[in-house]
Amino acid sequence: MDAERQLFRRFPGLRPAVPWLPLGTFPSPVERMARLGARLGCDRLFVKRDDLAGEPYGGNKVRKLEFTLADARRRGADRIVTVGAVGSNHLLATTVYAPHIGASAVGIVVPQPVQQYVRTNVLSDLALGCQIRPAPSLPCAAAELVATMARERLGGRRRSYFLWAGGSSALGVLGYVEAGLEIAAQVQGGLLPEPEWAFVPVGSGGTLAGLVLGLRLAGLRTRPIGVCVYARPATSAWTVALLANLAARYLRRCDRAVPRMRVRPAEIELLGGYLGPGYAHYTRRGVQAVELARDLECLALEGTYSGKCLAAFIDFVSAPERRGAAALFVNTYNSRPLAPLLAGAPRPEALPAPLRRYFEEPIAAVRE
């Protein structure tokens, strides 16, 4: 199975050294966005369907979990403890796939605006046995994560695996190193022209960091561009470069055939101006992009990550000097239906107050 992953195909010496677990369905397809292109006057727009990356749950987190959960299995973990917003897609993906290694998920979660997907994700997490621990802020969540690690070490329990928000770690980054190599193979196979640009949303930074490394390893001239969906300084060129360099050094240690690579913050391209008031606040431009994707290309997006990314993509490729160039939008959202995951979910009114409020308060208004 591992021969099907481009990373191991290019660097066979990584096979025995890098933990890996087949979770997703790869390569994810690439498709021309002909109707959107016609609307914008750009006829070479493509989408990479990472929304179909797994079954029963897709999205960009599946790629990361192929490496991080494999590492957890290697370490004998029976519980994955991670951090995220209440409606975290990363937490849900972890909850879905942790049983593949005989583990359960624990999420230390922080508040976010009320959105419908938050309600669905919370109920899905609980239905699948995730233990949710609310925290008032990200610093408090980080402190709780450290405290949990300390308690376990002092108590002699070492079977939990601790994973930062978004699954962004040196190992998690490898998921999008693989994606960059996969794009190169699809270009070589004639499935799309070599893109001038490849767009991804940037929250914790691991997706963009991996894509930068993967495209560089593949020898493509494609410029990876990240769209900020989380506030600085958490989302920054420094963060992305640090993650990329940690992953690059890890690969080099595992196999000397991997070339030396160093990514400087100045090389990281980030687009601001699409975040709106903050993380998970839907914006008018983001919602319009979601509707265009749905109506023209039958693509499922959402307003926290992929909608804002597509809004930036549309503005960027619509510039007169860029029309006619090939561009790639990576759909990092999950488009698999979540209804099958909701069987046995608790009633919202039975939830503890920090979670119940997401079902009692109105959906947050769309902002400019």
Side-chain angles (χ1 to χ4, degrees), residues 98-137:
H100 285 250
I101 64 165
S104 61
V106 176
I108 304 170
V109 300
V110 299
Q112 69 168 96
V114 180
Q115 304 292 355
Q116 183 56 50
Y117 83 88
V118 175
R119 297 171 174 174
T120 304
N121 282 9
V122 166
L123 292 178
S124 298
D125 285 332
L126 294 171
L128 295 172
C130 178
Q131 181 187 140
I132 298 180
R133 299 181 188 170
S137 67

Side-chain angles (χ1 to χ4, degrees), residues 132-146:
I132 298 180
R133 299 181 188 170
S137 67
L138 190 58
C140 290
E144 173 61 22
L145 187 70
V146 171

Side-chain angles (χ1 to χ4, degrees), residues 149-161:
M149 293 171 65
R151 285 195 299 269
E152 291 208 354
R153 289 182 181 276
L154 289 172
R157 189 187 197 283
R158 296 175 179 267
R159 297 191 65 193
S160 288
Y161 186 86

Side-chain angles (χ1 to χ4, degrees), residues 215-257:
L215 293 173
R216 186 174 295 187
L217 277 174
L220 290 188
R221 295 166 296 179
T222 304
R223 287 165 47 194
I225 296 181
V227 179
C228 296
V229 299
Y230 198 85
R232 297 172 187 268
T235 298
S236 70
W238 288 94
T239 302
V240 175
L242 173 62
L243 286 167
N245 289 326
L246 289 172
R249 287 196 290 270
Y250 174 80
L251 288 173
R252 175 76 178 169
R253 286 197 306 270
C254 290
D255 185 359
R256 292 294 177 179

